[in-house]
Amino acid sequence: MLKLENMPPSLRQALDDIALCVVFFTWLPLPVVDFRDRSLAAAIWASPVAGLAVALIGGLVYAVGTWLGLAAGPAAALTLAATLLATGCMHEDGLSDVADGFGGGKTREKKLGIMRDSRIGAYGACALALSLLIRWSVLSEFAGPAQMFWALIAAHAASRGLFGAFMHLLPAARSDGLSADAGTVSAETATAGAALGAVALLALGFGGAVAAFILLGLLLAAFHMLCRNQIGGQTGDTVGALQQSGEIAILLVASASLS
């Protein structure tokens, strides 16, 4: 058995990056890990692996639910609940904050101030409701656990594959906060994360993967432009909103390609 101290440095670093992303992006318990001062920006390429873990949890809940005789609707609701619990609603929080800030603020400073406010407004509540409704309606369409697993893997892994590219293309909108603390994402790290996400899209089949890849590219370009115009950069909340938008887009493609 390969011991940690005997691992090649590159493999050990990769495992540390995966562990860091799993710890940061999910509530999954891991043993105490020494991240060796590795920054989130350097490890962000591994965020699709954290998405894979979330997808497997959701798929397992769906499989158990259907095995127990639940109808597709309740099983899909439990699946969605499991993914929310696995992430602590981290990205849903970002979506609601961005909706409130972009929708309710008149200036850049006001938008950023609203996004930092923990209270939720009408825009944020509507964005959350629509996100949950769309995702549940798609998940409830799948014929069985196999389709559910493939759709969840593609949606959760590939949507997180956008993180590095988005953070590389846009500077932090604030001098403090989650995104500023994460550091600067290199082009190589962004490319590696996007490549992992693209591989995950193959779970939708070749045609579905191509359609989802194009859709995610358009989404990234549009959201990049929106955030630049609205607040002049990106924050942790915008990263979460991007993930939610990407997850929904991929699930819609999955609805057409798998159902």
Side-chain angles (χ1 to χ4, degrees):
M1 183 176 180
L2 183 62
K3 296 182 179 180
L4 292 180
E5 58 269 21
N6 296 329
M7 283 184 180
S10 58
L11 178 57
R12 177 61 185 269
Q13 180 177 290
L15 292 177
D16 284 349
D17 288 351
I18 291 171
L20 175 55
C21 284
V22 171
V23 168
F24 188 86
F25 290 113
T26 78
W27 279 15
L28 297 178
L30 285 182
V32 176
V33 179
D34 178 11
F35 293 121
R36 303 172 184 272
D37 298 322
R38 187 73 167 164
S39 70
L40 181 61
I44 200 74
W45 66 269
S47 54
V49 181
L52 174 62
V54 175
L56 293 177
I57 291 171
L60 179 61
V61 169
Y62 184 84
V64 171
T66 54
W67 178 73
L68 292 174
L70 292 180
L78 290 176
T79 299
L80 184 55
T83 62
L84 297 177
L85 288 173
T87 61
C89 298
M90 182 181 193
H91 304 309
E92 284 77 9
D93 179 69
L95 174 65
S96 64
D97 285 343
V98 168
D100 278 334
F102 287 12
K106 299 300 182 183
T107 65
R108 175 183 179 275
E109 291 70 24
K110 185 65 174 176
K111 294 175 193 293
L112 288 172
I114 293 174
M115 289 165 64
R116 184 159 273 177
D117 192 335
S118 60
R119 293 170 295 181
I120 186 170
Y123 286 107
C126 289
L128 273 180
L130 286 172
S131 173
L132 293 171
L133 177 61
I134 294 171
R135 285 184 286 166
W136 173 81
S137 64
V138 173
L139 295 177
S140 64
E141 289 183 353
F142 295 124
Q147 288 187 352
M148 179 66 74
F149 269 111
W150 293 128
L152 289 175
I153 288 171
H156 283 279
S159 62
R160 288 165 174 82
L162 299 174
F163 288 172
F166 182 64
M167 295 172 69
H168 172 72
L169 292 171
L170 269 179
R174 298 189 183 100
S175 59
D176 62 341
L178 181 61
S179 185
D181 292 343
T184 302
V185 177
S186 68
E188 293 78 10
T189 300
T191 301
L196 277 181
V199 170
L201 290 177
L202 294 175
L204 304 179
F206 181 76
V210 171
F213 185 82
I214 294 173
L215 188 57
L216 286 182
L218 294 174
L219 173 64
L220 178 62
F223 199 66
H224 169 277
M225 184 180 301
L226 176 65
C227 291
R228 183 177 291 278
N229 291 338
Q230 291 284 321
I231 57 174
Q234 46 87 11
T235 67
D237 284 332
T238 62
V239 173
L242 177 63
Q243 187 280 326
Q244 289 284 281
S245 302
E247 182 181 335
I248 289 171
I250 298 168
L251 285 176
L252 290 174
V253 173
S255 176
S257 62
L258 296 180
S259 297

